[in-house]
Coordinates of all heavy atoms in Angstrom, one line a residue:
M238 N 123.5 90.4 148.2 CA 123.6 89.9 146.8 C 122.1 89.5 146.3 O 121.8 89.7 145.2 CB 124.5 88.7 146.7 CG 124.8 88.2 145.3 SD 125.8 89.5 144.5 CE 126.1 88.7 143.0
K239 N 121.3 88.9 147.3 CA 120.0 88.5 146.9 C 119.1 89.7 146.6 O 118.3 89.7 145.6 CB 119.3 87.7 148.0 CG 119.7 86.3 148.1 CD 118.9 85.5 149.1 CE 119.1 84.1 149.1 NZ 118.3 83.3 150.0
K240 N 119.3 90.8 147.4 CA 118.5 92.0 147.1 C 118.9 92.6 145.8 O 118.0 93.1 145.1 CB 118.7 93.0 148.3 CG 118.0 92.6 149.5 CD 118.1 93.7 150.6 CE 117.4 93.3 151.8 NZ 117.4 94.3 152.8
T241 N 120.1 92.6 145.4 CA 120.6 93.1 144.2 C 120.0 92.4 143.0 O 119.6 93.0 142.0 CB 122.1 93.1 144.1 OG1 122.6 93.7 145.3 CG2 122.6 93.9 142.9
K242 N 119.9 91.0 143.1 CA 119.4 90.2 142.0 C 117.9 90.5 141.9 O 117.3 90.5 140.8 CB 119.7 88.7 142.3 CG 121.1 88.3 142.0 CD 121.2 86.8 142.1 CE 122.7 86.4 141.8 NZ 122.9 85.0 141.9
K243 N 117.2 90.6 143.0 CA 115.8 90.8 143.0 C 115.5 92.2 142.4 O 114.6 92.4 141.6 CB 115.2 90.8 144.4 CG 115.0 89.3 144.9 CD 114.3 89.3 146.3 CE 114.2 87.9 146.8 NZ 113.5 87.9 148.1
L244 N 116.3 93.2 142.8 CA 116.1 94.5 142.2 C 116.4 94.6 140.7 O 115.7 95.2 140.0 CB 117.0 95.5 143.0 CG 116.8 97.0 142.6 CD1 115.4 97.5 142.9 CD2 117.9 97.8 143.3
A245 N 117.4 93.9 140.3 CA 117.8 93.8 138.9 C 116.6 93.1 138.1 O 116.3 93.5 137.0 CB 119.1 93.1 138.7
A246 N 116.1 92.0 138.7 CA 115.0 91.3 138.0 C 113.8 92.2 137.9 O 113.1 92.2 136.9 CB 114.7 90.0 138.8
L247 N 113.5 93.0 138.9 CA 112.3 93.9 138.9 C 112.5 95.0 137.9 O 111.6 95.3 137.1 CB 112.1 94.5 140.3 CG 111.0 95.5 140.4 CD1 109.7 94.8 140.2 CD2 111.0 96.2 141.8
I248 N 113.7 95.5 137.8 CA 114.0 96.6 136.8 C 113.9 96.0 135.4 O 113.3 96.6 134.5 CB 115.3 97.3 137.1 CG1 115.2 98.1 138.4 CG2 115.8 98.1 135.9 CD1 116.6 98.6 138.9
L249 N 114.4 94.8 135.2 CA 114.4 94.2 133.9 C 112.9 93.9 133.5 O 112.5 94.1 132.3 CB 115.2 92.9 133.9 CG 115.3 92.2 132.6 CD1 116.1 93.1 131.6 CD2 116.1 90.9 132.8
A250 N 112.1 93.5 134.4 CA 110.7 93.2 134.2 C 110.0 94.5 133.8 O 109.1 94.5 132.9 CB 110.0 92.5 135.3
L251 N 110.3 95.6 134.5 CA 109.6 96.8 134.2 C 110.0 97.3 132.8 O 109.2 97.9 132.0 CB 110.0 97.9 135.2 CG 109.3 97.7 136.6 CD1 109.9 98.7 137.6 CD2 107.8 98.0 136.4
V252 N 111.3 97.2 132.5 CA 111.8 97.6 131.1 C 111.1 96.8 130.0 O 110.7 97.4 129.0 CB 113.4 97.5 131.1 CG1 113.9 97.7 129.7 CG2 114.0 98.5 132.0
M253 N 111.0 95.5 130.3 CA 110.3 94.7 129.3 C 108.9 95.1 129.1 O 108.4 95.1 128.0 CB 110.4 93.2 129.7 CG 111.7 92.6 129.4 SD 111.8 90.8 129.8 CE 110.4 90.2 129.1
A254 N 108.2 95.3 130.2 CA 106.8 95.7 130.1 C 106.6 97.0 129.4 O 105.7 97.2 128.5 CB 106.2 95.9 131.5
F255 N 107.4 98.0 129.7 CA 107.4 99.3 129.0 C 107.7 99.2 127.5 O 107.1 99.8 126.6 CB 108.2 100.4 129.7 CG 107.6 100.9 130.9 CD1 108.3 100.8 132.1 CD2 106.3 101.4 131.0 CE1 107.8 101.3 133.3 CE2 105.8 101.8 132.1 CZ 106.5 101.8 133.3
S256 N 108.7 98.3 127.2 CA 109.1 98.1 125.8 C 108.0 97.5 125.0 O 107.7 97.8 123.8 CB 110.4 97.3 125.7 OG 110.1 96.0 126.1
L257 N 107.2 96.5 125.6 CA 106.1 95.9 124.9 C 105.0 96.9 124.6 O 104.4 96.9 123.6 CB 105.6 94.7 125.8 CG 106.4 93.5 125.8 CD1 105.8 92.4 126.7 CD2 106.6 92.9 124.4
M258 N 104.8 97.8 125.6 CA 103.7 98.8 125.4 C 104.2 99.8 124.3 O 103.4 100.2 123.5 CB 103.5 99.6 126.7 CG 102.7 98.8 127.7 SD 102.1 99.7 129.1 CE 103.6 100.1 129.9
A259 N 105.5 100.1 124.3 CA 106.0 101.1 123.3 C 105.9 100.4 121.9 O 105.5 101.1 120.9 CB 107.4 101.5 123.6
V260 N 106.3 99.2 121.8 CA 106.2 98.5 120.5 C 104.8 98.4 119.9 O 104.5 98.6 118.8 CB 106.9 97.1 120.5 CG1 106.6 96.3 119.3 CG2 108.4 97.3 120.8
T261 N 103.9 98.1 120.8 CA 102.5 98.0 120.4 C 101.9 99.3 120.0 O 101.3 99.4 119.0 CB 101.6 97.5 121.6 OG1 102.2 96.2 122.0 CG2 100.2 97.2 121.2
A262 N 102.3 100.4 120.7 CA 101.8 101.7 120.3 C 102.4 102.2 119.0 O 101.8 102.8 118.2 CB 102.1 102.7 121.5
A263 N 103.7 101.8 118.8 CA 104.3 102.2 117.6 C 103.8 101.4 116.4 O 103.7 102.0 115.3 CB 105.8 102.0 117.7
A264 N 103.4 100.2 116.6 CA 102.9 99.4 115.5 C 101.5 99.9 115.1 O 101.1 99.8 114.0 CB 102.8 97.9 115.9
Y265 N 100.8 100.4 116.1 CA 99.4 100.9 115.8 C 99.5 102.1 114.9 O 98.7 102.2 114.0 CB 98.7 101.2 117.1 CG 97.3 101.8 116.9 CD1 96.3 101.0 116.4 CD2 97.0 103.1 117.3 CE1 95.0 101.5 116.2 CE2 95.7 103.6 117.1 CZ 94.8 102.8 116.5 OH 93.5 103.3 116.3
G266 N 100.4 103.0 115.2 CA 100.6 104.2 114.4 C 99.3 105.0 114.2 O 98.9 105.3 113.1
A267 N 98.7 105.4 115.3 CA 97.5 106.2 115.3 C 97.6 107.5 114.6 O 96.7 108.0 113.9 CB 96.9 106.4 116.7
D268 N 98.8 108.2 114.7 CA 99.0 109.5 114.1 C 99.2 109.4 112.6 O 99.0 110.4 111.9 CB 100.2 110.2 114.8 CG 99.9 110.4 116.2 OD1 98.7 110.5 116.6 OD2 100.9 110.5 117.0
E269 N 99.7 108.3 112.1 CA 100.1 108.2 110.7 C 99.1 107.5 109.9 O 99.3 107.3 108.7 CB 101.4 107.4 110.6 CG 102.6 108.0 111.4 CD 103.7 107.0 111.6 OE1 103.7 105.9 111.1 OE2 104.6 107.4 112.4
H270 N 98.0 107.1 110.5 CA 97.0 106.3 109.7 C 96.2 107.2 108.8 O 95.7 108.2 109.1 CB 96.0 105.6 110.7 CG 95.1 104.7 110.1 ND1 95.5 103.4 109.6 CD2 93.8 104.7 109.8 CE1 94.5 102.8 109.1 NE2 93.5 103.6 109.2
V271 N 96.1 106.8 107.5 CA 95.4 107.5 106.5 C 94.3 106.6 106.0 O 94.5 105.4 105.6 CB 96.3 107.8 105.3 CG1 95.5 108.5 104.2 CG2 97.5 108.7 105.8
H272 N 93.0 107.1 105.9 CA 91.9 106.3 105.4 C 91.8 106.5 103.9 O 91.3 107.5 103.4 CB 90.6 106.8 106.1 CG 90.5 106.5 107.5 ND1 90.2 105.3 108.0 CD2 90.8 107.2 108.6 CE1 90.2 105.2 109.3 NE2 90.6 106.4 109.7
D273 N 92.3 105.5 103.2 CA 92.4 105.6 101.8 C 91.5 104.5 101.1 O 91.6 104.3 99.9 CB 93.8 105.4 101.3 CG 94.5 104.1 101.7 OD1 93.8 103.4 102.5 OD2 95.6 103.9 101.2
G274 N 90.6 103.9 101.8 CA 89.7 102.9 101.2 C 90.2 101.5 101.4 O 89.4 100.6 101.2
T275 N 91.5 101.3 101.7 CA 91.9 99.9 101.9 C 91.7 99.3 103.3 O 91.8 98.2 103.5 CB 93.4 99.8 101.6 OG1 94.1 100.7 102.5 CG2 93.7 100.2 100.2
C276 N 91.3 100.2 104.2 CA 91.1 99.7 105.6 C 89.6 99.9 106.0 O 89.3 99.6 107.2 CB 92.0 100.5 106.5 SG 91.6 102.2 106.6
C277 N 88.8 100.4 105.2 CA 87.4 100.6 105.5 C 86.6 99.3 105.8 O 87.0 98.3 105.2 CB 86.7 101.5 104.5 SG 87.5 103.1 104.3
E278 N 85.6 99.5 106.6 CA 84.8 98.3 106.9 C 84.0 97.8 105.6 O 83.7 96.6 105.6 CB 83.7 98.7 108.0 CG 84.4 98.8 109.3 CD 85.0 100.2 109.5 OE1 84.7 101.1 108.7 OE2 85.7 100.4 110.5
E279 N 83.8 98.7 104.6 CA 83.1 98.2 103.5 C 83.9 97.2 102.6 O 83.3 96.5 101.9 CB 82.7 99.4 102.6 CG 81.7 100.3 103.2 CD 82.3 101.4 104.1 OE1 83.5 101.6 104.0 OE2 81.5 101.9 105.0
T280 N 85.2 97.2 102.8 CA 86.0 96.3 102.0 C 86.2 95.0 102.6 O 86.7 94.1 102.0 CB 87.4 96.9 101.7 OG1 88.1 97.2 103.0 CG2 87.3 98.2 100.9
I281 N 85.8 94.9 103.9 CA 86.0 93.6 104.6 C 84.7 92.8 104.4 O 83.6 93.3 104.7 CB 86.2 93.8 106.1 CG1 87.5 94.6 106.3 CG2 86.3 92.5 106.8 CD1 87.8 95.1 107.7
Q282 N 84.8 91.6 103.8 CA 83.6 90.8 103.6 C 83.3 90.0 104.8 O 84.2 89.3 105.4 CB 83.9 89.9 102.4 CG 84.1 90.6 101.1 CD 82.8 91.3 100.7 OE1 81.7 90.8 100.8 NE2 83.0 92.6 100.2
P283 N 82.1 89.9 105.2 CA 81.7 89.1 106.4 C 81.8 87.6 106.0 O 81.5 87.2 104.9 CB 80.3 89.5 106.7 CG 79.7 90.0 105.4 CD 80.9 90.6 104.7
R284 N 82.1 86.8 107.0 CA 82.0 85.4 106.8 C 80.6 84.9 106.8 O 79.8 85.3 107.5 CB 82.7 84.7 108.0 CG 84.2 84.8 108.0 CD 84.9 84.1 109.1 NE 84.5 82.6 109.0 CZ 84.7 81.8 109.9 NH1 85.2 82.1 111.1 NH2 84.4 80.5 109.8
K285 N 80.3 84.0 105.9 CA 79.0 83.4 105.9 C 78.9 82.3 106.9 O 79.8 81.4 107.0 CB 78.7 82.8 104.5 CG 78.6 83.8 103.4 CD 77.9 83.1 102.2 CE 77.8 84.2 101.2 NZ 76.5 84.4 100.8
P286 N 77.9 82.4 107.8 CA 77.9 81.4 108.8 C 77.5 80.0 108.2 O 76.6 80.0 107.4 CB 76.8 81.9 109.7 CG 76.0 82.8 108.9 CD 76.9 83.4 107.9
G287 N 78.1 79.0 108.7 CA 77.8 77.7 108.2 C 76.8 77.0 109.2 O 76.9 77.1 110.4
Y288 N 75.8 76.4 108.6 CA 74.8 75.7 109.4 C 74.6 74.4 108.8 O 75.1 74.0 107.8 CB 73.5 76.5 109.4 CG 73.6 77.8 110.2 CD1 73.9 79.0 109.7 CD2 73.3 77.7 111.6 CE1 74.0 80.1 110.5 CE2 73.4 78.8 112.4 CZ 73.8 80.0 111.8 OH 73.9 81.1 112.6
W289 N 73.8 73.6 109.5 CA 73.4 72.3 109.0 C 72.2 72.3 108.2 O 71.2 73.0 108.6 CB 73.3 71.3 110.2 CG 74.5 71.3 111.1 CD1 74.7 71.9 112.3 CD2 75.8 70.7 110.7 NE1 76.0 71.7 112.7 CE2 76.6 70.9 111.8 CE3 76.2 69.9 109.7 CZ2 78.0 70.5 111.8 CZ3 77.5 69.4 109.7 CH2 78.4 69.7 110.8
C290 N 72.1 71.5 107.2 CA 71.0 71.4 106.3 C 69.8 70.8 107.1 O 70.0 69.8 107.8 CB 71.3 70.6 105.1 SG 69.9 70.3 104.0
P291 N 68.6 71.4 107.1 CA 67.5 70.9 107.9 C 67.0 69.6 107.3 O 66.3 68.8 108.0 CB 66.4 72.0 107.8 CG 66.8 72.8 106.6 CD 68.3 72.7 106.4
R292 N 67.3 69.2 106.1 CA 66.8 68.0 105.5 C 67.8 66.8 105.7 O 67.3 65.8 106.1 CB 66.6 68.2 104.0 CG 65.5 69.1 103.6 CD 65.3 69.2 102.2 NE 64.1 70.0 101.8 CZ 63.8 70.4 100.6 NH1 64.5 69.9 99.6 NH2 62.8 71.2 100.4
C293 N 69.1 67.0 105.4 CA 70.0 65.9 105.5 C 71.0 66.0 106.6 O 71.7 65.0 106.9 CB 70.7 65.7 104.2 SG 71.8 67.0 103.7
G294 N 71.2 67.2 107.2 CA 72.2 67.3 108.3 C 73.6 67.6 107.8 O 74.5 67.7 108.6
E295 N 73.8 67.8 106.5 CA 75.1 68.1 106.0 C 75.4 69.6 106.2 O 74.4 70.4 106.3 CB 75.2 67.8 104.5 CG 75.2 66.3 104.2 CD 76.5 65.6 104.7 OE1 77.6 66.1 104.5 OE2 76.3 64.5 105.2
P296 N 76.6 70.1 106.2 CA 76.9 71.5 106.3 C 76.3 72.3 105.0 O 76.4 71.8 103.9 CB 78.4 71.6 106.2 CG 78.9 70.3 106.6 CD 77.9 69.3 106.2
A297 N 75.7 73.4 105.3 CA 75.0 74.1 104.2 C 75.1 75.6 104.5 O 75.3 76.1 105.6 CB 73.6 73.7 104.1
L298 N 74.9 76.4 103.4 CA 74.8 77.9 103.5 C 73.4 78.3 103.4 O 72.6 77.6 102.8 CB 75.6 78.5 102.4 CG 77.1 78.3 102.4 CD1 77.7 78.9 101.2 CD2 77.7 78.9 103.7
Y299 N 73.0 79.4 104.0 CA 71.7 79.9 103.9 C 71.7 81.4 103.6 O 72.6 82.1 103.9 CB 70.8 79.6 105.1 CG 71.1 80.5 106.3 CD1 70.3 81.6 106.5 CD2 72.1 80.2 107.2 CE1 70.5 82.4 107.6 CE2 72.4 81.1 108.2 CZ 71.6 82.2 108.4 OH 71.8 83.0 109.5
H300 N 70.6 81.9 103.0 CA 70.4 83.3 102.7 C 69.0 83.6 103.1 O 68.0 82.9 102.7 CB 70.6 83.6 101.3 CG 71.9 83.1 100.7 ND1 73.1 83.7 101.0 CD2 72.2 82.0 100.0 CE1 74.1 83.1 100.4 NE2 73.6 82.0 99.7
Q301 N 68.7 84.7 103.8 CA 67.4 85.2 104.1 C 66.9 85.9 102.8 O 67.5 86.8 102.3 CB 67.4 86.1 105.3 CG 65.9 86.5 105.6 CD 65.9 87.3 106.9 OE1 66.9 87.4 107.6 NE2 64.7 87.8 107.2
V302 N 65.7 85.4 102.3 CA 65.2 85.9 101.1 C 63.9 86.8 101.3 O 63.5 87.4 100.4 CB 64.9 84.8 100.0 CG1 66.2 84.2 99.6 CG2 63.9 83.8 100.6
G303 N 63.4 86.7 102.5 CA 62.2 87.5 102.8 C 61.6 87.2 104.1 O 62.2 86.5 104.9
V304 N 60.4 87.8 104.4 CA 59.8 87.6 105.6 C 58.4 87.0 105.4 O 57.6 87.6 104.5 CB 59.7 88.9 106.4 CG1 59.0 88.7 107.7 CG2 61.1 89.5 106.6
G305 N 58.0 86.0 106.0 CA 56.7 85.3 105.8 C 55.7 85.8 106.8 O 55.8 86.9 107.4
E306 N 54.7 85.0 107.1 CA 53.7 85.3 108.0 C 54.2 85.3 109.4 O 55.2 84.6 109.8 CB 52.5 84.3 107.9 CG 52.9 82.9 108.1 CD 51.8 81.9 107.8 OE1 51.2 82.0 106.7 OE2 51.6 81.0 108.6
Q307 N 53.6 86.2 110.3 CA 54.1 86.4 111.7 C 55.5 86.8 111.7 O 56.2 86.5 112.7 CB 53.8 85.2 112.5 CG 52.3 84.8 112.6 CD 52.1 83.5 113.4 OE1 53.0 82.9 113.8 NE2 50.8 83.2 113.6
D308 N 56.0 87.5 110.7 CA 57.4 88.0 110.7 C 58.4 86.9 110.8 O 59.5 87.2 111.3 CB 57.6 89.1 111.8 CG 56.8 90.3 111.5 OD1 56.5 90.6 110.3 OD2 56.4 91.0 112.5
R309 N 58.1 85.7 110.3 CA 59.1 84.7 110.3 C 60.0 84.8 109.1 O 59.5 85.0 108.0 CB 58.4 83.3 110.3 CG 58.0 82.8 111.6 CD 57.5 81.4 111.6 NE 58.6 80.5 111.3 CZ 58.4 79.2 110.9 NH1 57.2 78.8 110.6 NH2 59.5 78.4 110.7
P310 N 61.3 84.7 109.2 CA 62.2 84.9 108.0 C 62.1 83.6 107.1 O 61.9 82.5 107.6 CB 63.6 85.0 108.6 CG 63.5 84.4 110.0 CD 62.1 84.6 110.4
I311 N 62.2 83.9 105.8 CA 62.2 82.8 104.8 C 63.6 82.7 104.3 O 64.3 83.6 104.0 CB 61.3 83.1 103.7 CG1 59.8 83.3 104.2 CG2 61.3 82.0 102.6 CD1 58.9 83.8 103.1
Y312 N 64.2 81.4 104.4 CA 65.5 81.2 104.0 C 65.6 80.3 102.8 O 64.8 79.5 102.5 CB 66.3 80.4 105.1 CG 66.4 81.2 106.4 CD1 65.7 80.9 107.5 CD2 67.3 82.3 106.5 CE1 65.8 81.6 108.7 CE2 67.4 83.0 107.6 CZ 66.7 82.7 108.8 OH 66.8 83.4 109.9
T313 N 66.7 80.6 102.0 CA 67.1 79.7 100.9 C 68.3 79.0 101.3 O 69.3 79.6 101.7 CB 67.3 80.5 99.6 OG1 66.1 81.2 99.2 CG2 67.8 79.6 98.5
W314 N 68.3 77.7 101.3 CA 69.4 76.8 101.7 C 70.1 76.3 100.5 O 69.6 76.0 99.5 CB 68.9 75.6 102.5 CG 68.2 76.1 103.8 CD1 66.9 76.4 104.0 CD2 68.9 76.1 105.0 NE1 66.7 76.7 105.3 CE2 67.9 76.6 106.0 CE3 70.2 75.9 105.5 CZ2 68.2 76.8 107.3 CZ3 70.5 76.1 106.8 CH2 69.5 76.5 107.7
E315 N 71.5 76.3 100.6 CA 72.3 75.8 99.5 C 73.1 74.6 100.1 O 74.1 74.8 100.9 CB 73.3 76.8 99.0 CG 72.6 78.0 98.3 CD 73.6 79.0 97.9 OE1 74.8 78.7 97.7 OE2 73.2 80.2 97.7
C316 N 72.6 73.4 99.8 CA 73.3 72.2 100.4 C 73.9 71.4 99.3 O 73.3 71.3 98.2 CB 72.2 71.3 101.1 SG 72.8 69.8 101.7
P317 N 75.1 70.9 99.4 CA 75.8 70.2 98.4 C 75.1 68.9 98.1 O 75.2 68.4 96.9 CB 77.2 70.0 98.9 CG 77.2 70.2 100.3 CD 76.0 71.1 100.6
K318 N 74.4 68.3 99.0 CA 73.7 67.0 98.8 C 72.2 67.2 98.3 O 71.8 66.5 97.4 CB 73.7 66.3 100.2 CG 73.5 64.8 100.1 CD 73.7 64.2 101.5 CE 73.8 62.8 101.4 NZ 74.0 62.2 102.7
C319 N 71.5 68.2 98.9 CA 70.1 68.4 98.6 C 69.9 69.4 97.5 O 68.8 69.5 96.9 CB 69.3 68.8 99.8 SG 69.4 67.7 101.2
G320 N 70.9 70.2 97.2 CA 70.7 71.3 96.3 C 70.2 72.5 96.9 O 70.4 72.7 98.1
T321 N 69.5 73.4 96.1 CA 69.0 74.6 96.7 C 67.5 74.5 96.9 O 66.8 74.1 96.0 CB 69.3 75.8 95.7 OG1 70.7 75.9 95.4 CG2 68.8 77.1 96.2
F322 N 67.1 74.9 98.1 CA 65.6 74.8 98.4 C 65.3 76.0 99.3 O 66.1 76.5 100.0 CB 65.2 73.5 98.9 CG 65.9 73.1 100.2 CD1 65.3 73.4 101.4 CD2 67.1 72.5 100.2 CE1 66.0 73.1 102.6 CE2 67.8 72.1 101.4 CZ 67.2 72.4 102.6
T323 N 64.0 76.3 99.4 CA 63.5 77.3 100.3 C 62.7 76.7 101.4 O 61.9 75.8 101.1 CB 62.7 78.3 99.5 OG1 63.5 78.8 98.4 CG2 62.2 79.5 100.3
E324 N 62.9 77.2 102.6 CA 62.1 76.8 103.7 C 61.7 78.0 104.6 O 62.4 78.9 104.8 CB 62.9 75.8 104.6 CG 62.4 74.4 104.4 CD 63.0 73.5 105.4 OE1 63.5 73.8 106.5 OE2 63.1 72.3 105.0

């Protein structure tokens, strides 16, 4: 009886594993995928990284506006407390 239960549990585990793989493959739908512009990388907007303001320490956004001497990037910071400034 113990061997029968162990064998049944093994078979059930194998069936579950294969069904999970089949569901995942079916959900992916590699054969049916059509590139119509709604899934392209150009339509996905990148997240703006959040950083701390170098003046006050509050969360702020930054944008690289150019390159200075010795190829150091120049940033424009947008801080809710300090306003917009360039460093």
Side-chain angles (χ1 to χ4, degrees):
M238 191 69 177
K239 279 187 175 182
K240 286 186 179 182
T241 309
K242 284 186 180 181
K243 284 184 181 180
L244 185 62
L247 178 64
I248 292 172
L249 186 62
L251 285 172
V252 168
M253 281 182 48
F255 285 126
S256 69
L257 287 175
M258 287 190 291
V260 167
T261 305
Y265 178 66
D268 297 334
E269 303 164 6
H270 188 73
V271 178
H272 291 281
D273 59 353
T275 59
C276 66
C277 295
E278 288 81 13
E279 291 85 21
T280 59
I281 300 171
Q282 295 295 320
R284 287 183 60 193
K285 290 194 179 239
Y288 287 94
W289 303 104
C290 175
R292 292 184 178 172
C293 66
E295 292 290 319
L298 296 175
Y299 77 96
H300 308 284
Q301 184 173 350
V302 292
V304 179
E306 57 188 48
Q307 298 177 355
D308 294 331
R309 277 187 69 198
I311 300 172
Y312 296 109
T313 296
W314 295 86
E315 295 177 24
C316 176
K318 201 173 194 180
C319 302
T321 303
F322 61 93
T323 303
E324 254 188 28

